[in-house]
Amino acid sequence: MAQAERPLSDHPTAAESADARTTLAGLGEAAVLARIFPRLPAADAALLGPGDDAAVLAAPDGRYVVTTDMLVHGPDFRWEFSTPTDLGWKAAATNLSDVAAMGARPTALVVAIAAPQDTQVDVLEGVADGLRLACAELAPGCGVVGGDLSTSDVFTIAVTAFGDLDGRRPVRRSGARPGDVVAVAGELGVAARGIALLFESGLEAARGTDAHAVARQLRPMPPIALGVVAADAGATAMMDVSDGLALDARRLARASVVDIEFDALGDDQLRGGEDHSLLATFPADVPLPDGFLRIGAVAPGVGRLLVSGSVFDELGGWDPYAQWDGRLS
Amino acid sequence: MAQAERPLSDHPTAAESADARTTLAGLGEAAVLARIFPRLPAADAALLGPGDDAAVLAAPDGRYVVTTDMLVHGPDFRWEFSTPTDLGWKAAATNLSDVAAMGARPTALVVAIAAPQDTQVDVLEGVADGLRLACAELAPGCGVVGGDLSTSDVFTIAVTAFGDLDGRRPVRRSGARPGDVVAVAGELGVAARGIALLFESGLEAARGTDAHAVARQLRPMPPIALGVVAADAGATAMMDVSDGLALDARRLARASVVDIEFDALGDDQLRGGEDHSLLATFPADVPLPDGFLRIGAVAPGVGRLLVSGSVFDELGGWDPYAQWDGRLS
């Protein structure tokens, strides 16, 4: 909002301490951007990167894949548990996972951040580090091509991710056919165990109990490269398991108008969300690609989920509107 | 954040009134999405629209343009002044303008919204209406291909916009050459007059004083179609005037390593932001396209702005980190 008419606000602390001079308000937008830019990963697909009104990206096969996901302090992450680098990693990973679930190779991200004015600039540097580390580990060649900075009392990060299908058809949720095998790549229920431990006992104690689960909650490790592998192997349907296997499997069953029958699976595996594993269906005569494990089969049906032969209706999952109680700790 | 382990929060009002049943918390995410989806504009470029893990868009010339911009309640808009439809319009218009400033035709948007849980669903319906109306008016054929909903105490909307260069080279900020003519399409200082009046006297009185300025502040009318026209006419550099003509012109001068010399311009025209007009430079022997007005010329130089022959350093503009005083009214 252009408000040159309004007087500059008085930031008494800005003159008083070194700490205040390194806040976003103390530095101002241009200086903050100058600190962040060098830490961001470059994108191989960028024909024109950050710094102009918009970026220009290559789409060699004439199409591109797009998804967006916003993380808000409170319902989606908490500074009590996450470092800035954890947050940058998670914001990248959750979006990369949606690109992979289409059978696409992630190419680029744009990132909008709204942060409180008294945020230290090293918080944003840490977020940039997390974006860079996640791209390097999960999707080499993918980078940040643009962004926006604003101010808000609630720290918020919105990432939009892009991908290239390299000539492949996109793998949708609606392509599962009776007789297909149902398979998963990645862990199930681990990130949910992590957040349960964090709420129960706090960061240090939770790490003592199950460091792996806490690490996966704070820095998810979705099997990004396996999205393309599954598509090449002939996957008929695929999706990112973000809200819990049971809930997401029923979404896939409904989109495909089939029933999905799981073999025996534990309750934690069925309900725990945020692992960002890949759920896919393959023709029965196709060897499952390395990294995918068979967990069931597709049957003719009307969009139901069955586990060990019984209809499974208690789906779990997480609805921020209906379920978040507003607590921050 | 998957938190199936945590009890459902207690929403005592949800059972008590019809109003509470139509909040985002009362309806839940799936029902909210079902209300919003039919109001969103479809995109001609969508090969696969909303509803899967990601959308797939056409990029016929093998490239696409990307920009992102976030609006936060408080520094960027206020419910005191803006209706939900105004907000949706503004969120679309500011992003479409950045696409146009590259010489591209806007094709699609993705939209992430974080809203307080007690927000009435008709607020989000109004935002969707604004997105649809702005696309229809400013960029026919452009539509919404995906999104995300989250919850936050601070209403926040992040839009990412895409465009097609249709074979044209992108028009950057860095291409202005000595001897070029400097021209503007769109109004200057009108949106800033609108916000000044709103702060001074409130919505109704401001409308009584200058309804046009208030309307342009709340629903900007950037000359989107003229971006492509300018590129086709041979524009050497172009940018969206979002932070004020003087500030943005100096950015263009610095990127191009030239001086920009303006003819006589009023202080309001030089400093007022948010009109989202297009600032462009053209070779002197090219007839200016209809809609562009000459306001100066490019001279050899080092990135300075001169007005009526004198260096102009008081640039105005708006820095949310340094300047927002945290007030909401």
Side-chain angles (χ1 to χ4, degrees):
Chain A
M1 195 169 266
Q3 345 203 349
E5 307 75 18
R6 304 173 61 205
L8 261 175
S9 65
D10 202 48
H11 289 291
T13 56
E16 285 165 13
S17 76
D19 265 13
R21 284 194 298 273
T22 55
T23 62
L24 305 187
L27 286 165
E29 191 173 6
V32 171
L33 287 173
R35 294 275 289 262
I36 298 170
F37 262 41
R39 309 177 93 97
L40 293 173
D44 291 346
L47 303 173
L48 177 62
D52 217 300
D53 291 286
V56 182
L57 292 172
D61 86 350
R63 303 168 299 167
Y64 56 107
V65 164
V66 179
T67 181
T68 192
D69 194 34
M70 185 186 257
L71 300 182
V72 178
H73 187 251
D76 298 315
F77 77 94
R78 304 186 190 186
W79 292 130
E80 185 189 355
F81 305 136
S82 294
T83 66
T85 304
D86 290 338
L87 174 62
W89 178 292
K90 188 165 190 162
T94 55
N95 276 281
L96 296 173
S97 177
D98 282 321
V99 171
M102 302 306 290
R105 177 177 51 83
T107 51
L109 311 174
V110 294
V111 181
I113 293 177
Q117 288 174 302
D118 64 358
T119 303
Q120 290 291 319
V121 67
D122 59 11
V123 171
L124 295 198
E125 290 177 330
V127 173
D129 290 343
L131 293 165
R132 188 183 69 249
L133 293 171
C135 286
E137 172 78 22
L138 302 173
C142 180
V144 175
V145 297
D148 186 34
L149 286 180
S150 190
T151 185
S152 172
D153 288 342
V154 179
F155 197 105
T156 305
I157 178 166
V159 172
T160 302
F162 311 105
D164 195 324
L165 287 159
D166 300 307
R168 283 178 297 275
R169 65 174 174 73
V171 184
R172 303 181 56 175
R173 298 179 178 186
S174 54
R177 299 167 307 185
D180 284 353
V181 167
V182 179
V184 161
E187 295 176 304
L188 292 173
V190 175
R193 188 160 73 244
I195 194 67
L197 286 170
L198 287 167
F199 282 133
E200 244 171 64
S201 58
L203 185 56
E204 289 317 311
R207 279 204 172 116
T209 308
D210 190 339
H212 175 73
V214 171
R216 284 300 171 274
Q217 164 58 228
L218 301 180
R219 296 197 189 187
M221 289 284 282
I224 302 299
L226 290 181
V228 166
V229 169
D232 285 341
T236 52
M238 185 154 56
M239 69 184 293
D240 161 45
V241 182
S242 52
D243 291 335
L245 178 64
L247 181 59
D248 286 329
R250 196 165 74 170
R251 288 177 176 149
L252 192 150
R254 288 184 171 180
S256 298
V257 197
V258 295
D259 283 353
I260 286 185
E261 304 180 341
F262 282 163
D263 309 331
L265 282 168
D267 202 58
D268 289 354
Q269 294 173 302
L270 284 165
R271 294 170 196 259
E274 291 200 295
D275 290 306
H276 299 284
S277 297
L278 289 172
L279 172 67
T281 57
F282 295 90
D285 58 355
V286 158
L288 284 186
D290 282 350
F292 278 91
L293 281 177
R294 184 200 150 101
I295 58 168
V298 179
V302 293
R304 297 180 307 172
L305 172 65
L306 295 92
V307 178
S308 304
S310 305
V311 173
F312 191 85
D313 270 334
E314 297 160 39
L315 299 174
W318 163 245
D319 182 330
Y321 284 139
Q323 291 176 258
W324 186 48
D325 65 0
R327 286 193 307 165
L328 290 179
S329 62
Chain B
M1 194 169 265
Q3 346 203 348
E5 307 74 18
R6 303 173 62 205
L8 259 174
S9 66
D10 201 47
H11 289 291
T13 57
E16 284 165 14
S17 77
D19 266 14
R21 284 195 297 273
T22 54
T23 62
L24 305 186
L27 287 165
E29 191 173 8
V32 171
L33 287 173
R35 294 274 288 261
I36 299 171
F37 263 41
R39 309 177 93 98
L40 293 174
D44 292 346
L47 303 173
L48 177 62
D52 218 300
D53 291 287
V56 182
L57 292 172
D61 85 350
R63 303 167 300 166
Y64 56 107
V65 164
V66 179
T67 181
T68 193
D69 194 34
M70 183 186 259
L71 300 181
V72 179
H73 187 251
D76 298 315
F77 77 95
R78 304 186 191 185
W79 292 131
E80 184 188 357
F81 305 137
S82 294
T83 65
T85 303
D86 290 338
L87 175 62
W89 178 292
K90 188 165 190 163
T94 54
N95 277 281
L96 296 173
S97 178
D98 282 321
V99 171
M102 301 306 291
R105 178 178 51 83
T107 51
L109 311 173
V110 294
V111 181
I113 293 177
Q117 288 174 303
D118 63 358
T119 303
Q120 289 291 319
V121 67
D122 59 10
V123 171
L124 295 198
E125 290 175 331
V127 173
D129 290 343
L131 293 165
R132 188 183 69 249
L133 293 170
C135 285
E137 174 78 22
L138 302 173
C142 180
V144 176
V145 298
D148 186 34
L149 287 179
S150 190
T151 185
S152 171
D153 287 342
V154 179
F155 198 105
T156 305
I157 178 167
V159 171
T160 303
F162 311 105
D164 194 325
L165 287 159
D166 301 307
R168 284 178 296 276
R169 64 173 177 73
V171 184
R172 303 180 58 174
R173 299 179 177 184
S174 53
R177 298 167 308 185
D180 285 352
V181 167
V182 179
V184 161
E187 296 175 304
L188 293 174
V190 176
R193 188 159 74 243
I195 193 68
L197 286 170
L198 288 167
F199 283 132
E200 244 171 65
S201 58
L203 184 58
E204 289 319 311
R207 278 204 173 117
T209 309
D210 190 338
H212 175 73
V214 170
R216 284 300 172 275
Q217 165 57 227
L218 301 180
R219 296 198 188 187
M221 289 285 282
I224 302 298
L226 290 181
V228 166
V229 169
D232 287 342
T236 51
M238 184 155 55
M239 68 184 293
D240 162 45
V241 182
S242 53
D243 291 334
L245 179 64
L247 181 60
D248 286 329
R250 195 165 74 172
R251 287 176 176 149
L252 193 151
R254 287 183 171 180
S256 298
V257 197
V258 295
D259 283 353
I260 286 185
E261 303 180 342
F262 282 163
D263 309 331
L265 281 169
D267 203 57
D268 290 353
Q269 294 173 302
L270 285 165
R271 296 171 197 259
E274 291 200 294
D275 290 305
H276 299 285
S277 296
L278 287 172
L279 172 67
T281 56
F282 295 90
D285 57 356
V286 157
L288 283 186
D290 282 350
F292 278 90
L293 280 178
R294 183 200 151 101
I295 57 168
V298 179
V302 292
R304 296 179 308 172
L305 172 65
L306 294 91
V307 179
S308 304
S310 305
V311 173
F312 190 86
D313 270 335
E314 296 160 37
L315 300 174
W318 163 244
D319 182 329
Y321 286 139
Q323 290 175 259
W324 186 48
D325 65 0
R327 285 193 307 166
L328 290 178
S329 61

